[in-house]
Amino acid sequence: MRCPKCGHDNPPDTLFCEECDWRLDVGYRAPKKRNPMAFAVIALVVGVVSVALGFVDGAAIGGVVVGALGLVLGSYSVNLPRYLQDSNKGVCMGLAGVGMILSVFGFILGLMVYAGVF
Ligand SMILES: [Zn+2]
């Protein structure tokens, strides 16, 4: 029986693969390559950048643009660990959440600075 994980050809009536110990009656799906932590950290960085840009008089519109981007990225990153059953779920969701809040802040701040409120 061919192993669904490593492809090793095992003798019939084997339950565990001789090569990798995978249970042969259980289908194997390769884990997804996406890394929720990387997405969360990027969302956080984008959020920080949007707030930083929002404070700069000439670059405030950049804060609006980056803030909008961070909001999309953040909302995506917040949900990602839930689908992937990542062990760092809480940390990932926390980082992405903070990135999202910062993005909203940067977006509004940039908009107000750009409009000349400050
Ligand atoms: Zn195997």
Side-chain angles (χ1 to χ4, degrees):
M1 185 176 178
R2 189 170 289 276
C3 169
K5 186 180 179 187
C6 72
H8 179 76
D9 210 0
N10 295 283
D13 300 324
T14 319
L15 186 57
F16 292 95
C17 174
E18 291 176 335
E19 195 66 33
C20 69
D21 284 332
W22 185 261
R23 254 190 91 122
L24 296 176
D25 57 352
V26 177
Y28 178 76
R29 266 195 326 176
K32 289 193 178 131
K33 291 278 192 291
R34 283 183 304 180
N35 183 352
M37 186 59 98
F39 272 95
V41 170
I42 292 168
L44 185 66
V45 170
V46 170
V48 171
V49 169
S50 80
V51 172
L53 282 176
F55 274 114
V56 183
D57 213 357
I61 196 71
V64 176
V65 174
V66 177
L69 181 77
L71 199 59
V72 175
L73 197 67
S75 57
Y76 178 70
S77 307
V78 155
N79 288 313
L80 204 56
R82 214 175 319 180
Y83 299 133
L84 299 185
Q85 302 293 318
D86 195 274
S87 51
N88 293 319
K89 200 186 280 191
V91 181
C92 288
M93 288 168 90
L95 285 177
V98 171
M100 238 167 93
I101 292 163
L102 284 173
S103 295
V104 173
F105 186 65
F107 183 84
I108 295 169
L109 185 72
L111 212 59
M112 287 168 97
V113 171
Y114 183 70
V117 174
F118 294 123

